[in-house]
Amino acid sequence: MSLVIQEHAQARLITDGPDPRVVPVELRCDPQEPGTVHVRLPGGADWAVGQDLLERGLRSPATRGDIGVWPCGRAQLVLELHSPDGVAVFQFDRAPFIRFLSRVRAGTAKQKLPAAAPATRA
């Protein structure tokens, strides 16, 4: 049985206005889609992001297709999403991403372990 790993986070939606808007975001990794993290935004928008892209983006700027990720100072992470409707830029605290990716790595490692032989009574 494989479990979906989820983490709830808050992001600041960066806009042209004077104050960013805080929005709830859900990070989700399903073992049926290894290496893919779903970032669910308000309104139901769901972006599939490579786990490796997020890992790299925690340390240095990383881009793949319509998605960019980079560190912002020591405690922040920026996620930039391009679509035909425009560009959305979100700023996150790094801690939820680090915690989430750590749980994903641990879950992936457990799935790769060979199944233990059933115990038998002598």
Side-chain angles (χ1 to χ4, degrees):
M1 180 174 150
S2 57
L3 298 177
V4 172
I5 299 169
Q6 293 180 317
E7 180 81 29
H8 295 278
Q10 291 194 347
R12 287 168 289 291
L13 175 60
I14 308 301
T15 66
D16 292 340
D19 296 318
R21 191 174 99 210
V22 176
V23 296
V25 176
E26 180 186 75
L27 306 173
R28 184 174 185 273
C29 185
D30 186 334
Q32 301 302 320
E33 294 182 80
T36 301
V37 173
H38 288 271
V39 179
R40 182 172 290 270
L41 303 168
D46 187 277
W47 283 76
V49 180
Q51 178 184 340
D52 61 330
L53 180 66
L54 291 174
E55 296 273 6
R56 283 194 334 262
L58 284 168
R59 295 182 304 278
S60 62
T63 303
R64 183 178 300 142
D66 296 333
I67 302 169
V69 185
W70 63 89
C72 180
R74 296 178 69 188
Q76 303 292 311
L77 177 73
V78 174
L79 178 64
E80 183 177 271
L81 306 170
H82 294 256
S83 76
D85 296 326
V87 177
V89 179
F90 297 90
Q91 186 176 23
F92 292 86
D93 289 335
R94 286 171 44 115
F97 274 90
I98 292 169
R99 183 172 48 246
F100 173 77
L101 291 170
S102 175
R103 289 173 48 214
V104 169
R105 284 189 302 273
T108 302
K110 284 181 185 175
Q111 288 182 1
K112 290 182 181 177
L113 292 175
T120 58
R121 185 173 256 179

